[in-house]
Amino acid sequence: MTAGKVLVIGGTSDARLICQQLDEAGVRYTLSVATPTGTQLAGNIRGQVRCGRLEMGEMVTWLRQNNTRWVIDASHPYAEVVSRNIARACHQAQVLLSRYQRPEQQPELQHPLLFNVATLEEACDKARHLGERILLTTGSKDLARWRDGLPGKTLLARVLPVADVLAQCAALGFGVGEIFALCGPFSAEFNAAFYRQYCVEVMITKASGAEGGYLEKVQPALDAGIPCIVIARPKPLVVGDELLNGQDAFAGRLQRWLAAQ
């Protein structure tokens, strides 16, 4: 089996763990990541790594040229556009698609200061009435939308320590006291100290699961009386047996894949 017959799409710790399972099973594969940061996060996996975003048409071409038979979408849970393009490309190229989704931790936590919302716009509507100093732990992609949705608020952006991300923050008007370039996840103790040090009044995050340090972000904030707004995950485009909720589910799907070869 050539490396292109199995394609893992990711750039997260989840994708790396999937690649490690494929390595242990002796499966050759390609990991596709969008940025050099994703390449760094892949670590010392044995598979080939391709770097660069693929539009839907480019993905169809790549799948066909490499005779791909199985695509594992392990992209970020909130990368809706990416997952939609992957699903369309696999449908057009007639390739099996599995969607890996890290387990959620949201149902485990209930609190009067914990607000679950469906969209960024709903998060802005809620945050406007809760405080002035708002910590964003939602990544850098939507910073411009947060700026538009929360005018007049002090926004604190916790983002990856990557040069182009820092340039993006600066271009959007984030000052040196509002940009925190750090690579998580972080411990509950770290987050508690961070909230105190920077006088956080509202914390906005996503349902990122254990891999994203969800409980370690939310619980210290609630303990300190800080309201937390959590944006729900988009509904997966893949359902049934090909929706893999966790590494154990992927291990079982891999065994079925191997048995069919």
Side-chain angles (χ1 to χ4, degrees), residues 172-191:
L172 289 169
F174 287 85
V176 293
E178 300 166 335
I179 304 170
F180 303 92
L182 302 163
C183 186
F186 308 102
S187 68
E189 293 77 12
F190 177 93
N191 283 322

Side-chain angles (χ1 to χ4, degrees), residues 7 54-68 89-90 92-93 95:
L7 177 66
L54 290 173
E55 298 300 329
M56 200 274 286
E58 295 172 322
M59 194 176 300
V60 171
T61 300
W62 197 95
L63 295 176
R64 287 173 172 165
Q65 288 179 344
N66 289 275
N67 297 314
T68 304
C90 287
Q92 189 167 329
V95 175

Side-chain angles (χ1 to χ4, degrees), residues 5-52:
K5 289 191 180 297
V6 176
L7 177 66
V8 180
I9 299 178
T12 63
S13 57
D14 304 307
R16 184 176 68 250
L17 292 173
I18 286 171
C19 291
Q20 289 172 351
Q21 286 204 48
L22 294 171
D23 288 339
E24 291 174 5
V27 176
R28 297 184 65 197
Y29 61 91
T30 295
L31 170 65
S32 178
V33 299
T35 66
T37 301
T39 302
Q40 294 176 25
L41 291 174
N44 59 345
I45 62 170
R46 298 177 199 160
Q48 294 182 11
V49 180
R50 68 157 306 279
C51 181

Side-chain angles (χ1 to χ4, degrees), residues 10 30 39 44 58 65 71 83 90 97 120 151 161-162 165 175 215 221 250:
T30 295
T39 302
N44 59 345
E58 295 172 322
Q65 288 179 344
V71 171
S83 287
C90 287
L97 171 63
L120 183 150
V162 180
V165 170
L215 290 178
F250 176 75

Side-chain angles (χ1 to χ4, degrees), residues 50-244:
R50 68 157 306 279
C51 181
R53 289 180 172 82
L54 290 173
E55 298 300 329
M56 200 274 286
E58 295 172 322
M59 194 176 300
V60 171
T61 300
W62 197 95
L63 295 176
R64 287 173 172 165
Q65 288 179 344
N66 289 275
N67 297 314
T68 304
R69 294 165 55 191
W70 185 21
V71 171
I72 303 143
D73 177 8
S75 60
H76 194 278
Y78 290 82
E80 291 182 82
V81 174
V82 174
S83 287
R84 192 178 302 117
N85 284 341
I86 293 168
R88 289 172 176 169
C90 287
H91 177 75
Q92 189 167 329
Q94 297 186 321
V95 175
L96 172 67
L97 171 63
S98 297
R99 171 58 166 155
Y100 176 86
Q101 200 161 259
R102 61 177 64 161
E104 288 195 71
Q105 293 180 301
Q106 258 186 306
E108 300 176 19
L109 193 59
Q110 302 293 327
H111 195 281
L113 292 176
L114 181 62
F115 304 98
N116 296 306
V117 299
T119 66
L120 183 150
E121 289 72 26
E122 287 182 32
C124 290
D125 289 341
K126 179 66 68 173
R128 287 190 199 104
H129 310 290
L130 294 175
E132 297 301 314
R133 292 179 62 82
I134 301 173
L135 174 63
L136 304 173
T137 67
T138 54
S140 60
K141 181 169 68 72
D142 294 317
L143 288 177
R145 294 173 65 195
W146 289 116
R147 272 283 186 229
D148 291 340
L150 292 168
K153 300 293 186 180
T154 299
L155 301 183
L156 311 175
R158 203 158 80 175
V159 296
L160 284 174
V162 180
D164 59 346
V165 170
L166 298 180
Q168 176 190 356
C169 290
L172 289 169
F174 287 85
V176 293
E178 300 166 335
I179 304 170
F180 303 92
L182 302 163
C183 186
F186 308 102
S187 68
E189 293 77 12
F190 177 93
N191 283 322
F194 186 96
Y195 303 153
R196 288 194 302 271
Q197 178 68 28
Y198 296 105
C199 303
V200 174
E201 297 179 12
V202 183
M203 196 271 285
I204 302 179
T205 190
K206 295 177 177 178
S208 52
E211 294 85 349
Y214 174 76
L215 290 178
E216 290 80 4
K217 279 188 287 189
V218 172
Q219 190 65 62
L222 297 176
D223 291 344
I226 299 170
C228 295
I229 301 171
V230 181
I231 303 174
R233 293 182 188 177
K235 291 184 178 179
L237 299 174
V238 176
V239 297
D241 291 342
E242 299 305 330
L243 180 60
L244 310 175

